[in-house]
Amino acid sequence: MIRTVCTLAVVAALTACASAPDTAKLSAPTANSGLSGDTPVGLVDLAAHKMAGTPADYDLRARALTLAPGGGVGNHPHAGRPGIVRVVKGTVVEGRGDAKRVLKPGDFWLETFDTSHWFVNPSTTEAAELWVVDIVPKKK
């Protein structure tokens, strides 16, 4: 038993070493290649937000959020706090006024100056994951 475990450990270590890149042979590429996913998911016009101050008064924030089964975020506005949200995993129902829509992985929404919305994870078993990028006033 111990011999088998030791053999497996040695094989795993050798495999890890064999698969590690030799960084001494790597150099900076002269042009971009093999890059994909450069399609914007959304663009929010910041001028419409009429944000006070200067760009130095704000942060660009990116977050990965998990919404537990049955969890939700209550109705809230986005004037002065624009953003873009993408569903990475699970299902999310977003409500704006009387309208509701179901979003699945790959779907997104924009949060603009006139957005007031709420969202919930309708699943009773699976967490939902969201990527959120927004512009927020700096905490002072």
Side-chain angles (χ1 to χ4, degrees):
M1 175 72 167
I2 293 176
R3 183 177 288 168
T4 302
V5 171
C6 289
T7 301
L8 290 174
V10 169
V11 169
L14 290 174
T15 302
C17 291
S19 64
D22 183 0
T23 57
K25 295 181 181 178
L26 295 177
S27 60
T30 57
N32 295 345
S33 66
L35 184 64
S36 64
D38 195 28
T39 304
V41 294
L43 182 65
V44 174
D45 179 8
L46 298 181
H49 283 266
K50 299 178 182 167
M51 296 158 65
T54 68
D57 295 322
Y58 297 88
D59 286 324
L60 175 63
R61 175 176 67 175
R63 299 178 287 164
L65 301 179
T66 300
L67 192 56
V73 174
N75 196 56
H76 60 281
H78 279 273
R81 195 170 51 87
I84 300 172
V85 179
R86 184 174 182 147
V87 178
V88 179
K89 178 183 170 192
T91 300
V92 175
V93 175
E94 183 204 21
R96 295 185 186 207
D98 293 331
K100 296 176 195 158
R101 62 187 179 141
V102 177
L103 298 119
K104 303 268 186 194
D107 293 337
F108 67 92
W109 69 75
L110 303 177
E111 299 170 332
T112 62
F113 70 97
D114 60 350
T115 299
S116 183
H117 70 143
W118 54 267
F119 51 95
V120 297
N121 176 356
S123 175
T124 58
T125 58
E126 182 183 22
E129 293 178 10
L130 307 170
W131 286 350
V132 181
V133 177
D134 53 2
I135 294 177
V136 295
K138 284 188 177 180
K139 293 183 179 181
K140 296 180 180 185

